Amino acid sequence: MDARDYLQQIAKDDKLIQNKCVEVYQLRCLATSVTAPMGTEPVQTSGPSDKVGNITAKIVDLEAEINRMIDKFIDDKQERIAVIEQVNEPLQYNILHKHQGKRFTEIAEEEHYSDVHISKQHQKALEKVQKILNSIG
């Protein structure tokens, strides 16, 4: 796997988990807005009769999926951090670590370097990560 893709996968997985949590929230809102039919006349429907129960089952299934995703996310993140920690050059290490959630301009400002320098150092750090990944397997 390419070093850049390897490191970016964590952000993608994090976003996927966030989106699943939004789905749960939307299902919970839907479950609380479903009401029982009013009146005494029987109504024929072709759909499921227990909408709240069906939505609740979907919520439970989705939450179990989210929990599995979070467990995998934590394991994958720890693995990537272990790889990043093998980059011995302090600035490159900092860039890799901070780039998990920050843009180069923010990192450059914090590290007191130009954006161009940070970008070049990031490329060198990615090359080191690629060597580490190649040596692993």
Side-chain angles (χ1 to χ4, degrees):
M1 177 181 273
D2 175 71
R4 185 181 308 271
D5 293 337
Y6 176 79
L7 294 174
Q8 288 178 340
Q9 188 61 45
I10 289 297
K12 291 176 187 175
D13 290 346
D14 185 37
K15 192 64 173 168
L16 184 62
I17 291 169
Q18 289 176 26
N19 290 340
K20 294 282 184 185
C21 290
V22 169
E23 288 178 44
V24 168
Y25 172 77
Q26 290 170 339
L27 285 172
R28 287 185 187 283
C29 289
L30 184 60
T32 58
S33 68
V34 174
T35 58
M38 302 299 261
T40 58
E41 295 294 320
V43 178
Q44 277 190 324
T45 61
S46 59
S49 59
D50 186 12
K51 290 182 181 181
V52 173
N54 290 336
I55 292 171
T56 301
K58 288 179 184 179
I59 290 170
V60 169
D61 291 343
L62 195 52
E63 286 178 336
E65 180 183 354
I66 290 169
N67 286 334
R68 286 189 300 273
M69 292 171 69
I70 289 171
D71 289 343
K72 184 178 182 320
F73 173 81
I74 290 169
D75 292 342
D76 290 349
K77 188 167 185 173
Q78 288 175 338
E79 175 187 309
R80 279 151 178 82
I81 288 171
V83 169
I84 289 172
E85 287 175 346
Q86 293 179 50
V87 175
N88 295 326
E89 209 293 321
L91 178 60
Q92 292 173 2
Y93 167 82
N94 285 342
I95 292 168
L96 289 173
H97 186 71
K98 290 179 179 184
H99 193 50
Q100 299 296 314
K102 295 182 180 182
R103 296 178 179 267
F104 286 148
T105 53
E106 294 172 284
I107 298 169
E109 189 174 307
E110 289 176 8
E111 297 293 332
H112 306 290
Y113 288 101
S114 71
D115 295 1
V116 173
H117 183 70
I118 294 298
S119 179
K120 287 179 182 177
Q121 290 298 309
H122 181 255
Q123 186 58 43
K124 289 179 181 180
L126 286 177
E127 291 169 7
K128 289 179 181 178
V129 168
Q130 189 64 54
K131 287 179 183 178
I132 294 166
L133 292 176
N134 291 343
S135 70
I136 292 173

